[in-house]
Amino acid sequence: MRALHWFRSDLRLADNTSLRAACDGAEQVLALFVFDRNLLGKSRPAAPRLRFMLRCLTQLSQRLEAHGSALVVREGDPAQIVPRLVEEIGVSRVSWNRDYSPYAKRRDASVQRRLEKA
C-alpha cells in the first residue's frame, strides 16, 4: 500500500502522529507540501518568511530522503492538488495533522470532501 502524508506547518518527522499513522502498514510513504497562496499572501510573500520556509523544507526533504522517502512540493490550492496527486500516484491513504485555525478547518474539510469523491 502506498500512503501520502501532507505536511503543512508541522515540518517534522519526530513526534508526528499523523505521519506515524501514514507509515503503519504502508510499503511506501510519500510526503507532500503545498505552497498555499492563501497562507503566503495574495501578492508576493515576505522574503524572510519564504526563506525560512524553504530552509525548513530543504531540511525536511533531506531527512525524508535519509529514510527512503521523497518530498513532493507543489504550489496552489490544496483542495485541488492533494486529490490530483493521490490519483496520479495511486495512493491508498492520505494523512495530515489537525490545524485549528478557521481557514485551515475550511481547507481541510474541502480536501477531505474531494478525496472522498475520488
Side-chain angles (χ1 to χ4, degrees):
M1 178 204 25
R2 183 179 284 170
L4 176 72
H5 179 73
W6 175 25
F7 282 95
R8 287 99 59 87
S9 59
D10 50 353
L11 303 177
R12 68 188 191 284
L13 298 184
D15 193 33
N16 190 324
T17 55
S18 182
L19 177 59
R20 170 65 61 198
C23 293
D24 288 344
E27 295 168 15
Q28 182 181 23
V29 179
L30 299 172
L32 170 66
F33 181 85
V34 179
F35 279 102
D36 185 339
R37 283 280 172 202
N38 290 312
L39 294 176
L40 288 175
K42 301 248 184 226
S43 59
R44 216 178 78 163
R49 180 177 185 195
L50 188 56
R51 276 195 305 272
F52 176 75
M53 287 182 78
L54 291 172
R55 192 169 50 247
C56 291
L57 287 169
T58 298
Q59 292 171 352
L60 176 63
S61 180
Q62 292 168 345
R63 289 180 183 130
L64 286 165
E65 287 175 9
H67 289 282
S69 188
L71 179 64
V72 175
V73 179
R74 298 285 190 266
E75 178 184 356
D77 180 0
Q80 294 176 358
I81 291 172
V82 175
R84 187 180 313 137
L85 186 61
V86 164
E87 185 177 325
E88 286 174 14
I89 62 176
V91 168
S92 302
R93 181 188 306 157
V94 180
S95 67
W96 62 82
N97 286 312
R98 289 186 183 154
D99 191 336
Y100 297 98
S101 73
Y103 169 74
K105 287 180 178 182
R106 288 189 308 273
R107 176 201 59 209
D108 294 353
S110 180
V111 169
Q112 184 70 39
R113 280 191 304 274
R114 291 188 183 199
L115 286 172
E116 288 170 357
K117 286 181 184 178

